[in-house]
Amino acid sequence: MTPARRLLIAGFMALPLPVTAEESNVTRAFEMPAHRALMSIRADAELIAFETDGCSGGLSSSWRVVARNFPDFADAHDQIPPWENCCVIHDRAYHNAGAAETAEDSYDARLTADKALESCVKRTGSLRVDEVAEHYDVQPETVEAAYETIAEAMYLAVRFGGGPCSGLPWRWGFGYSQCTVLDAIGPARE
C-alpha cells in the first residue's frame, strides 16, 4: 500500500462519521457551524436556477465514458448509472438546502436526503438483481451485495463531501451563494 493511500485511509478513519445507523452527536456538533452560516446568508440570497450533473463527483460522466468504450457494459447497464434518478432527486434537496428555515432543520434535512439517496440506490439495485445476475452469470446475492456496497459508499461520500459552505459545487445549499463558517458570526464589530 502506498503512503498516499495509507494517509487517505487514515484520514477517512479519523473523520467524525457515524458508527451506528444514526448520526452521532459529534458529527452534528462538527457540522452545525456550517449550517448556521448557510442559514445566515440564505435569508438575503437569491436561489439560482436548479442544475444537476446527475451523480456528482464524476460518477455520471465517468459512467458515460465507460459505456461509450465498452459496449457490453452499456448493454448491461445503459448509458447512465441506473440510480442516476436517485442522484437528481438528491440534488434537488441539496439545491435549496431542503427548504430548511433553521440550522437544525437544515442538518436534519441533509441527513434525511442522504439516507433517502442510499435507500433509493438500494431499491434500484433490488429491481435489477435478476437481470444483472443473469448477464454476469453470478448469484443474485452477489448483485445485492454489490448494490448495497455502492449505496453505502455513496452515502458516506455525500456525508463526507456534501456539507454546507464547503466550497464544493455539490455542497448542501449549492443554489445559494458560497458561504464560510465565519458567515454565522456576522459582520465584524467596531
Side-chain angles (χ1 to χ4, degrees), residues 16 33 40 44 52 56 66 69 86 96 106 117 120 130 142 150 162 168:
S40 73
D44 298 324
T52 183
S56 299
V66 171
N69 291 298
C86 303
N96 72 349
S106 178
L117 172 66
C120 186
D130 294 334
T142 303
I150 291 166
L168 297 171

Side-chain angles (χ1 to χ4, degrees), residues 60-75 78-80:
S60 285
S61 58
S62 298
W63 190 284
R64 285 176 178 84
V65 169
V66 171
R68 264 194 317 271
N69 291 298
F70 298 95
D72 184 55
F73 180 86
D75 288 345
D78 206 0
Q79 301 295 317
I80 62 172

Side-chain angles (χ1 to χ4, degrees), residues 99-167:
E101 296 292 327
T102 68
E104 291 77 14
D105 290 345
S106 178
Y107 178 90
D108 293 340
R110 177 170 178 248
L111 180 59
T112 298
D114 293 348
K115 287 182 178 185
L117 172 66
E118 180 182 28
S119 294
C120 186
V121 172
K122 287 179 182 179
R123 256 190 328 276
T124 300
S126 70
L127 298 172
R128 302 189 71 231
V129 168
D130 294 334
E131 169 191 348
V132 174
E134 182 178 328
H135 181 83
Y136 289 106
D137 194 26
V138 297
Q139 294 298 314
E141 296 80 20
T142 303
V143 177
E144 289 169 355
Y147 268 94
E148 185 142 330
T149 299
I150 291 166
E152 290 169 1
M154 289 175 71
Y155 173 81
L156 290 174
V158 296
R159 292 306 298 159
F160 174 70
C165 305
S166 68

Side-chain angles (χ1 to χ4, degrees), residues 170-187:
W170 50 77
R171 69 187 180 277
W172 180 252
F174 70 84
Y176 297 106
S177 301
Q178 180 52 271
C179 56
T180 71
V181 292
L182 298 177
D183 290 314
I185 297 170

